[in-house]
Amino acid sequence: MADDRHTFAQARTRLEEIVVQVRKKDCSLEKSLDLLEEGVRLANTCTELSDHAEWPTVVAEEQTHAAVEAAEAEEHAGEAAEAADDDAPESAHAEEPAPDAPEAPETSNRASEEPHRGE
């Protein structure tokens, strides 16, 4: 990125993007080295920001970021569940009654009730 001023969250997000790009099999060595240099600069920026940060602000920023991601994930999960329900046949929604479990045979513990007779 041309702008060297990042928030901690922006720098971290860009680092995550760099990791994804470098892990792709079609990323050239030259591109990987350029991304490595950018990643090192971003890591240094993160270190500087964390050294001089007011932690309640950073924590609040991270919580907001996490809350947004969780909301998006929940929204996508809800859409996927609705799509699955729409695709399922009506008979799949009806619950079948559970078969009756056979009763366990009664067992007697007579050997322990009677005294042992040694003959």
Side-chain angles (χ1 to χ4, degrees):
M1 292 186 165
D3 184 15
D4 287 338
R5 294 187 174 257
H6 299 280
T7 66
F8 187 86
Q10 289 171 331
R12 195 183 98 215
T13 300
R14 179 61 185 141
L15 281 168
E16 291 170 355
E17 292 170 356
I18 289 171
V19 168
V20 169
Q21 287 180 327
V22 170
R23 287 185 175 167
K24 289 182 181 177
K25 292 183 180 186
D26 63 344
C27 188
S28 69
L29 178 59
E30 184 178 345
K31 178 71 175 173
S32 295
L33 291 173
D34 291 341
L35 291 171
L36 174 65
E37 288 177 14
E38 182 183 355
V40 169
R41 284 192 306 272
L42 288 168
N44 289 336
T45 299
C46 287
T47 301
E48 286 179 26
L49 289 171
S50 67
D51 287 346
H52 299 97
E54 295 178 26
W55 284 106
T57 304
V58 172
V59 170
E61 186 177 296
E62 291 293 317
Q63 288 173 343
T64 301
H65 182 70
V68 168
E69 286 180 350
E72 290 173 353
E74 186 176 302
E75 182 179 308
H76 291 301
E79 291 171 359
E82 287 176 9
D85 285 345
D86 291 343
D87 293 341
E90 289 299 317
S91 62
H93 294 290
E95 292 185 26
E96 295 181 23
D100 292 333
E103 293 183 21
E106 290 187 29
T107 57
S108 175
N109 208 1
R110 291 184 194 182
S112 64
E113 292 173 3
E114 296 179 14
H116 180 67
R117 297 182 190 180
E119 293 182 33

